[in-house]
Amino acid sequence: MCGIVGYVGSKQCLPILLSGLKRLEYRGYDSAGIALMTDSGLMISKAVGKIKMLEEAVNHADLQNINCSRGIAHTRWATHGEPNELNAHPHTDNFGEFALVHNGIIENYRSLKEYLIRKGVIVKTETDTEILVHLIRQNYKGDFTAAVRDALSQVEGTYGIAVISTLHPDTIVAARNGSPLVVGHGDGENFVASDVSAMLEHTNRVVYLQDGEIATVTPSSYAITTIQNVRITPTIEEISWTLEMIEKEGYDHFMLKEIYEQPTTLRNAIRGRINFEEGIARLNGLNLQYDELRRIKRVVITACGTSWHSALIGEYMIEELARIPVEVEYASEFRYRSPIIDDTTVLLAVSQSGETADTLAALREGKKHGSTALGIVNVVGSTIARESDGGVYIHAGPEIGVASTKAFTSQCMVLALIANLLGRMRSMSPAHGQELMTCIQQIPDQIEQILKNERVIKEIAQTYHAKDNFLYLGRGINFPVALEGALKLKEISYIHAEGYPAAEMKHGPIALIDESMPVVVIALKDPVYDKVMSNIAEIKARRGRVIAVATEGDKEIVDKVDHVVFVPHTHHMLTPLLSVIPLQLLAYHMAVLRGCPVDQPRNLAKSVTVE
Ligand code: AGP
């Protein structure tokens, strides 16, 4: 998604804006730009490609020596208009008095464009964003914030914007509707950004703008009003994240760092949430009393991408441990269906960023139909977290790599805790609860064991990294892990990979099997082990190459497959937290060997805040 950074203060703003953009690179982008408020007016520089290209453009325009302490900057993930310098943000009005950056989509930009052209405005680009800055100019009558407010009241769609003007050189006006925007509060300086990572090295005191809010920011103040011009008292939040949490700390990529963080992040997900004596999870954030938990008749889990895979795992956990029917819905589908839910249905929205547009819309749809909506979210203060009736933070810390890894395992851990809690409200005995809790507490150490196998996995990647297709198979609760393994490979190595229930292979995919098709099979010592071994035999009979994820101590599998990575034994319902680790590392090493930009895969964004 697009990234926005703005600064008003007394320091030179160019380095602050450029380093802020670098902190937002993980969001995915294809061009970048900057607007500086100088004594001789607005200075704009833009470039296609990475921020390094923008830095070269800034130096080429000799802007690096300009004395300037106010400005805005942007990384663009193209929606309307191809990725080129003309379409890159910031966009300016015809008089060069306003500059604007935007994240989101203006749905009615065409009709607004016709209106503006009739008023004599010259529109220079194919973007919806440019229309916004002309509209603000059209509405300007001396009050900068009022001009933005009046322009936005004509707009349909989503936006996070930051605007500067030569007519008010000390001010940034920012506004939010659907695309996240944060105001950072410093000493004699203030910031605006798409997320806190862009300002963390300067301040950890932030105000999250809500939908329909406008911030008027100067070096010494910020005032927040609504689009209806109602004054809001801002709530300052102190962010607990530290700078090193958003640095690579010696790892080649954020993704590898985050894979290795999983023992720690899972300990954080568990911490304070286990009542071992009663074998029950303690999840006060759900804001549900025991009798309300007992009244739940059905659970719908909605999410996208990797979070949808953890949701599928949650379905197996809750149905097995709590005997409550669960349905998992793609958020993008759920939001447009007329779902059959009522006040005995609980809707769980799973989202690392807490800003995914489809998941947020699904949450709102569920609430409209009377369900209790709970969020399983990583980013504190995110929109889904704030709009849920309750929920559980997964405490995985900032996940910078576009490919989700530590958030996935922490989502699965929280879903296991929820399944335990719901189960103990029903027929799950304290002893069974305690058995599950014992296994839960062993998971972080067991992942540390698996990570010691990285070299084995890297060697497997060396054998197969030139392949163009992969098949991933799993059964039961490990079928969603096969889907997740395939997604990881797809999104960072660009290899076509499909996940399938192992038994489905004979209904089609087996036609793909030959010596050129590597097949990853999750073959743990579980109730369906023998069935999976039959599937492996079917693959081998057709000269397929099999990479197995197996349970430590399984001697039988070794000479039936081409490669095997072992994971420790655990409670069947927790096996996905272990079986996914080798698949994360395999995808990572395949992508590295293929020379792919692991942390910022082409066309992808870390948080999809547009439909
Ligand atoms: C996962 O590796 C992808 N980056 C993507 O599928 C992601 O899981 C999806 O966009 C949902 O994001 P969220 O968890 O922030 O809602």
Side-chain angles (χ1 to χ4, degrees):
M1 283 304 83
C2 301
I4 290 173
V5 187
Y7 175 80
V8 279
S10 52
K11 296 177 186 135
Q12 287 307 311
C13 73
L14 182 59
I16 293 171
L17 295 175
L18 290 173
S19 70
L21 287 187
K22 286 174 184 165
R23 299 280 186 208
L24 298 179
E25 283 195 287
Y26 75 94
R27 298 165 67 88
Y29 68 105
D30 40 52
S31 56
I34 198 160
L36 302 175
M37 183 59 70
T38 73
D39 296 340
S40 41
L42 285 172
M43 304 296 254
I44 310 281
S45 186
K46 306 181 186 183
V48 176
K50 295 302 177 189
I51 290 162
K52 190 166 57 58
M53 309 305 288
L54 176 62
E55 288 176 317
E56 286 174 14
V58 164
N59 293 338
H60 183 69
D62 208 16
L63 296 180
Q64 72 280 17
N65 301 317
I66 281 186
N67 180 29
C68 164
S69 60
R70 288 106 167 93
I72 55 178
H74 185 266
T75 49
R76 180 175 182 242
W77 189 77
T79 53
H80 294 74
E82 64 176 74
N84 60 29
E85 194 172 315
L86 182 66
N87 289 332
H89 305 197
H91 290 290
T92 56
D93 68 304
N94 290 155
F95 304 92
E97 292 174 337
F98 292 86
L100 174 143
V101 292
H102 169 228
N103 178 19
I105 291 181
I106 306 304
E107 309 281 0
N108 64 332
Y109 84 97
R110 287 185 182 81
S111 56
L112 291 172
K113 182 174 179 177
E114 287 158 18
Y115 158 75
L116 289 163
I117 290 171
R118 284 198 301 273
K119 305 278 278 184
V121 168
I122 298 162
V123 178
K124 302 171 290 247
T125 76
E126 310 157 66
T127 66
D128 55 337
T129 300
E130 186 195 350
I131 300 309
L132 272 181
V133 73
H134 294 312
L135 209 51
I136 290 167
R137 182 82 185 71
Q138 285 292 314
N139 283 280
Y140 181 73
K141 301 178 185 65
D143 181 327
F144 189 8
T145 306
V148 174
R149 179 179 300 113
D150 295 345
L152 293 177
S153 58
Q154 296 169 254
V155 159
E156 292 160 22
T158 58
Y159 53 80
I161 60 168
V163 199
I164 55 176
S165 169
T166 56
L167 308 171
H168 300 264
D170 288 350
T171 302
I172 295 178
V173 178
R176 175 210 157 129
N177 189 49
S179 295
L181 213 50
V182 187
V183 176
H185 179 50
D187 297 328
E189 59 185 15
N190 285 312
F191 305 79
V192 172
S194 302
D195 74 46
V196 296
S197 51
M199 55 178 77
L200 205 52
E201 61 191 284
H202 306 289
T203 181
N204 68 346
R205 293 176 291 162
V206 302
V207 174
Y208 288 94
L209 285 191
Q210 317 288 329
D211 283 353
E213 291 184 349
I214 300 172
T216 306
V217 185
T218 68
S220 57
S221 69
Y222 56 89
I224 297 176
T225 56
T226 66
I227 198 98
Q228 294 82 20
N229 201 10
V230 173
R231 196 166 182 81
I232 299 285
T233 305
T235 308
I236 292 190
E237 305 205 21
E238 293 234 337
I239 298 300
S240 58
W241 290 356
T242 59
L243 204 48
E244 47 279 356
M245 287 166 101
I246 62 172
E247 302 278 2
K248 285 185 205 163
E249 289 187 322
Y251 286 94
D252 290 341
H253 299 95
F254 281 111
M255 182 179 177
L256 188 60
K257 175 189 171 193
E258 289 152 8
I259 289 171
Y260 271 84
E261 280 181 334
Q262 290 177 109
T264 301
T265 51
L266 285 165
R267 291 186 184 103
N268 294 340
I270 297 165
R271 186 170 293 111
R273 291 172 168 169
I274 288 183
N275 173 342
F276 193 78
E277 287 63 46
E278 294 181 41
I280 195 167
R282 192 183 293 122
L283 299 170
N284 302 331
L286 292 176
N287 296 334
L288 290 173
Q289 303 304 318
Y290 279 3
D291 61 329
E292 293 172 301
L293 290 166
R294 287 191 193 94
R295 277 209 302 274
I296 296 168
K297 294 277 181 298
R298 192 161 146 264
V299 175
V300 173
I301 314 179
T302 188
C304 300
T306 283
S307 299
W308 183 77
H309 296 151
S310 63
L312 288 174
I313 288 163
E315 174 179 358
Y316 283 92
M317 291 173 165
I318 295 171
E319 292 199 344
E320 172 83 13
L321 299 174
R323 311 306 297 155
I324 300 174
V326 179
E327 276 164 64
V328 176
E329 296 268 4
Y330 277 119
S332 53
E333 291 294 313
F334 181 82
R335 66 182 291 193
Y336 293 112
R337 289 178 53 189
S338 31
I340 301 168
I341 45 181
D342 59 21
D343 59 2
T344 65
T345 306
V346 161
L347 180 77
L348 288 181
V350 184
S351 175
Q352 187 284 130
S353 63
E355 300 296 349
T356 299
D358 285 325
T359 309
L360 176 58
L363 178 92
R364 290 170 174 168
E365 188 66 21
K367 290 181 74 170
K368 233 185 276 175
H369 285 74
S371 77
T372 298
L374 303 175
I376 298 175
V377 174
N378 189 33
V379 178
V380 175
S382 58
T383 308
I384 289 173
R386 279 184 286 103
E387 296 198 12
S388 301
D389 299 315
V392 186
Y393 280 120
I394 68 171
H395 297 316
E399 187 176 67
I400 308 295
V402 166
S404 186
T405 50
K406 63 177 183 174
F408 173 75
T409 48
S410 290
Q411 289 165 350
C412 293
M413 182 59 83
V414 164
L415 285 161
L417 293 171
I418 291 174
N420 161 274
L421 179 58
L422 294 172
R424 291 284 288 111
M425 296 297 104
R426 291 163 177 77
S427 56
M428 182 190 284
S429 68
H432 185 182
Q434 285 173 342
E435 180 208 339
L436 182 69
M437 294 303 178
T438 301
C439 294
I440 280 176
Q441 290 172 318
Q442 292 166 348
I443 293 287
D445 292 345
Q446 291 177 318
I447 290 179
E448 277 168 356
Q449 293 308 314
I450 298 169
L451 292 170
K452 288 177 182 157
N453 286 329
E454 181 182 0
R455 184 188 44 76
V456 172
I457 296 162
K458 188 172 178 179
E459 285 165 5
I460 294 171
Q462 277 153 353
T463 305
Y464 296 101
H465 70 278
K467 293 295 182 186
D468 296 323
N469 296 288
F470 259 76
L471 203 52
Y472 283 71
L473 303 178
R475 277 185 185 248
I477 197 167
N478 281 288
F479 157 51
V481 180
L483 297 176
E484 173 59 11
L487 175 62
K488 286 284 95 52
L489 188 68
K490 247 185 295 226
E491 64 176 330
I492 62 172
S493 71
Y494 315 149
I495 293 173
H496 175 248
E498 282 188 86
Y500 256 93
E504 272 300 297
M505 198 183 57
K506 53 185 170 300
H507 299 286
I510 199 165
L512 297 172
I513 303 297
D514 60 22
E515 63 282 358
S516 67
M517 171 66 86
V519 184
V520 176
V521 184
I522 301 162
L524 305 180
K525 277 288 187 183
D526 59 18
V528 290
Y529 176 79
D530 292 340
K531 305 291 181 198
V532 174
M533 291 307 286
S534 306
N535 298 140
I536 286 174
E538 289 154 13
I539 297 165
K540 293 306 293 173
R542 291 156 180 86
R543 304 191 310 281
R545 306 295 300 278
V546 174
I547 301 160
V549 178
T551 305
E552 269 169 13
D554 179 356
K555 303 263 185 297
E556 182 187 343
I557 196 166
V558 177
D559 55 15
K560 296 205 171 55
V561 298
D562 298 277
H563 312 271
V564 60
V565 182
F566 289 108
V567 299
H569 174 77
T570 186
H571 190 292
H572 179 48
M573 287 293 111
L574 301 175
T575 52
L577 285 115
L578 303 183
S579 60
V580 76
I581 306 299
L583 308 190
Q584 294 172 344
L585 286 170
L586 179 64
Y588 171 77
H589 283 294
M590 297 277 276
V592 169
L593 286 165
R594 292 167 70 99
C596 296
V598 172
D599 287 330
Q600 298 158 34
R602 67 185 181 197
N603 309 335
L604 286 178
K606 182 60 186 170
S607 173
V608 184
T609 58
V610 292
E611 282 199 44

